[in-house]
Amino acid sequence: GCGGGDGGGRGEGGGGGGRMEGGGADTPASGEGGGHGWRPGEFKEANCGVWLGSAGCVTPLHYDLCHGFLIGVRGTKRVTYFAPGDFRALYPRANQPELSQVDLDLWRQGGEGAEGTAAGRAERAAHPCFAEATAWHATLSPGDALYTPPYYWHHVETAADEAALSVLVPFDPSAEEPVHACHFR
């Protein structure tokens, strides 16, 4: 195997439309996250941000050290989540463990036969364990809020047909919350 994770080897699954798809009890939206109840740490207004993404804009696969609420204002964003326990299959970068080496867009192009591109097949060959990670998908539309716990990996895509505007409201973890092993790779 590829050395771990609790993803169950289902790959980048999930479905098409709707709010939260795929996953199970440990999805970011459920607030489970290893039995630790979420209690916000300090709120820092200076860390809030407005995110404007042009049509088709992508934020690569990464995790954050804080709790985050992303609120949709305009346009649509698709978020792909992975649990912290899948970190070995997500190929964290050696000097920046919060960033993945996997190019999810290329990975998705790596299908078999005529469906796949050469670059996509090369990405899959370079990161074979990624197929063992379990993905959840969520769509952020105007008026929606998505919660992302610390250390949950996520990849964000703005819809291809229009720009999107969202607001990020982060909270520091409380002192009782453990740092996940993925950060100490």
Side-chain angles (χ1 to χ4, degrees), residues 146-162:
L146 285 176
Y147 166 62
T148 304
Y151 309 107
Y152 269 77
W153 295 78
H154 50 286
H155 173 274
V156 184
E157 302 170 78
T158 301
D161 59 344
E162 68 174 327

Side-chain angles (χ1 to χ4, degrees), residues 22 28 32 39 43-44 51 58 108 118 131 137 142-143 156 168 174 182:
E32 294 294 320
R39 290 168 293 177
F43 169 71
K44 295 180 181 167
W51 293 91
V58 171
R108 289 174 175 160
H137 301 283
V156 184
L168 176 65
S174 67
C182 66

Side-chain angles (χ1 to χ4, degrees), residues 61-151:
L61 187 58
H62 70 287
Y63 66 82
D64 298 314
L65 301 174
C66 62
H67 297 272
F69 289 92
L70 190 63
I71 296 96
V73 176
R74 180 183 170 105
T76 303
K77 293 184 177 186
R78 180 169 167 87
V79 183
T80 302
Y81 286 105
F82 297 90
D86 278 341
F87 75 95
R88 287 183 185 90
L90 302 177
Y91 296 88
R93 295 182 186 180
N95 294 329
Q96 290 181 293
E98 69 277 10
L99 301 175
S100 175
Q101 297 176 47
V102 177
D103 183 326
L104 186 55
D105 297 315
L106 279 179
W107 177 269
R108 289 174 175 160
Q109 297 172 22
E112 298 296 321
E115 304 239 344
T117 66
R121 286 189 292 277
E123 183 69 14
R124 287 182 179 220
H127 304 107
C129 294
F130 185 70
E132 296 183 13
T134 300
W136 294 283
H137 301 283
T139 301
L140 181 72
S141 298
D144 290 344
L146 285 176
Y147 166 62
T148 304
Y151 309 107

